[in-house]
């Protein structure tokens, strides 16, 4: 039983890091002690199951109150402001990772490295790009949400939701494969990931249409629309199938990574520049 | 002072019940949690994170303060910190109780709860 207490207390101590440092310094020790007391009472009343049952409400309360404390100390606002600044470099990083995947794909298709491990190396930069991409998308939304029209707002929301969704579905897939290996591949998680990637692209198409109207980037206002439209290079292949002998089978995934990677890179570059006040061209 | 008290009213249920729990003497964090749960017949449970967040804000608002007294130092863990009402906290609690009593009078007058 001591092991359960120790593990619970250790985990609670780790989770306390979610609170701002000042709050942790003032109350961290007491909170650990209270949690230990609550664990003892729960165990006395309902055994090991009682300790486990204590965890769910404790976890929900911890996340909620940690967010409240961070908001109280202005840290969330600061974090959002930092994301706006970081959106440019993060988007450029996404572009670099996609270009790496593109080069890997190219080498793989040339047959220079014809093994499964190399295919993994192609997928790794692509998968990891979704971490900086999510934060970049949040930063982009923070920056443009107040100045775009309703179409652009829907687009930005779709892209952020898609970015979060890709990570959740891929991580769920990995977790389920680890926990229930006998269940085989979880196709629904793969479909969810594809759907979320599509959501990012559709979001960028909508955002891109608004960018054409308001011209809020210092240059290359067509980039968000192009970024959204590059989806046509990848999805028709997956959905409708293209015969293997056609060059399109070989070229389109490569082109998809290449064009998207260059677009992310250039878009990140434009985000480094100062924003413009909205200049409506369509509205009269 | 009255204006300062009025600014804080109405209190949130958590703050009100925490002040109420401290009205009959100093308590440590876990004691406050237990007292609130008992006094509300289990209808309100304050979790650890919310408890210390509220304690921090109530100390900033000067409603409660940390006390050095221990009910029985021999029996108690010396690392526990005790909290008690400040004079201002007691005034705020009284004002809130009066506000609730006034509302209760209206409730009774309109027989919302049936004939009591």
């Amino acid at each position: 039983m001591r092991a359960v207490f120790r593990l619970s207390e250790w985990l609670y101590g780790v989770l306390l890091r979610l609170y701002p440092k000042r709050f942790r310094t003032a109350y961290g020790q007491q909170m650990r002690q209270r949690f230990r007391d609550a664990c003892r009472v729960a165990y006395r009343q309902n055994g090991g199951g009682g300790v486990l049952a204590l965890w769910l409400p404790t976890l929900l309360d911890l996340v909620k109150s940690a967010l409240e404390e961070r908001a109280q100390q202005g840290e969330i606002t600061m974090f959002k402001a930092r994301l706006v600044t970081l959106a440019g470099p993060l988007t450029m990083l996404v572009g670099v990772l996609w270009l790496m995947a593109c080069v890997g794909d190219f080498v793989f298709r040339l047959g220079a490295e014809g093994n499964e491990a190399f295919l993994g190396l192609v997928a790794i930069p692509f998968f990891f790009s979704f971490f900086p991409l999510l934060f970049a998308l949040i930063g982009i939304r923070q920056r443009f949400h107040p100045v775009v029209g309703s179409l652009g707002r829907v687009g930005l929301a779709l892209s952020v939701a898609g970015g979060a969704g890709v990570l959740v579905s891929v991580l769920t897939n990995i977790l389920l494969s680890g926990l229930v290996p006998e269940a085989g591949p979880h196709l629904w998680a793969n479909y969810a990931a594809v759907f979320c990637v599509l959501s990012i692209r559709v979001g960028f198409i909508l955002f891109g249409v608004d960018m054409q109207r308001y011209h809020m980037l210092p240059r290359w206002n067509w980039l968000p629309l192009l970024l959204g439209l590059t989806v046509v290079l990848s999805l028709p292949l997956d959905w409708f199938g293209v015969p293997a002998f056609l060059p399109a089978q070989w070229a389109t995934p490569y082109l998809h990574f290449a064009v998207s990677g260059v677009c992310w890179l250039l878009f990140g570059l434009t985000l480094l520049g100062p924003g413009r006040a909205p200049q409506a061209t369509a509205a009269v | 002072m009255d204006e300062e008290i009025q600014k804080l009213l109405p209190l949130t249920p958590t703050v009100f019940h925490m002040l109420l729990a401290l009205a009959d003497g100093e308590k440590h964090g876990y004691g406050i949690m237990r007292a609130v749960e008992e006094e509300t017949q289990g209808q309100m449970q304050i979790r650890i994170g919310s408890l210390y967040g509220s304690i921090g804000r109530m100390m900033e608002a000067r409603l409660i303060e940390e006390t050095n007294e221990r009910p029985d130092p021999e029996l108690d863990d010396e690392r526990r910190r005790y909290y008690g009402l400040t004079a201002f906290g007691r005034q705020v609690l009284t004002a809130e109780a009066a506000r609730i009593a006034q509302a209760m009078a209206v409730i009774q007058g309109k027989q919302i709860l049936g004939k009591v």
Side-chain angles (χ1 to χ4, degrees), chain A residues 125-154:
Chain A
F126 179 61
F127 168 64
F128 278 102
S129 70
F130 284 96
F131 287 97
L133 180 60
L134 175 61
F135 290 107
L137 291 172
I138 297 171
I140 293 165
R141 184 177 173 273
Q142 281 299 119
R143 177 168 168 180
F144 294 105
H145 183 265
V147 286
V148 287
S150 51
L151 203 63
R153 280 183 203 159
V154 172

Side-chain angles (χ1 to χ4, degrees), chain A residues 237-265:
Chain A
L237 272 181
D238 297 334
W239 286 6
F240 306 117
V242 174
F245 57 85
L246 286 182
Q249 173 77 21
W250 187 89
T252 53
Y254 168 73
L255 269 178
H256 171 238
F257 280 130
V259 176
S260 302
V262 170
C263 283
W264 284 124
L265 201 60

Side-chain angles (χ1 to χ4, degrees), chain A residues 76-152:
Chain A
I76 291 181
T77 318
M78 273 167 61
F79 180 64
K80 282 179 179 173
R82 211 174 297 158
L83 278 186
V84 172
T85 319
L86 286 175
L90 286 173
T91 310
M92 288 172 74
L93 176 63
V94 172
V96 170
L97 289 169
W98 281 48
L99 285 173
M100 280 168 67
C102 154
V103 172
D105 194 52
F106 185 67
V107 176
F108 176 70
R109 281 165 200 283
L110 280 181
E113 295 285 343
N115 57 46
E116 292 272 321
F118 189 75
L119 188 61
L121 284 178
V122 174
I124 285 169
F126 179 61
F127 168 64
F128 278 102
S129 70
F130 284 96
F131 287 97
L133 180 60
L134 175 61
F135 290 107
L137 291 172
I138 297 171
I140 293 165
R141 184 177 173 273
Q142 281 299 119
R143 177 168 168 180
F144 294 105
H145 183 265
V147 286
V148 287
S150 51
L151 203 63

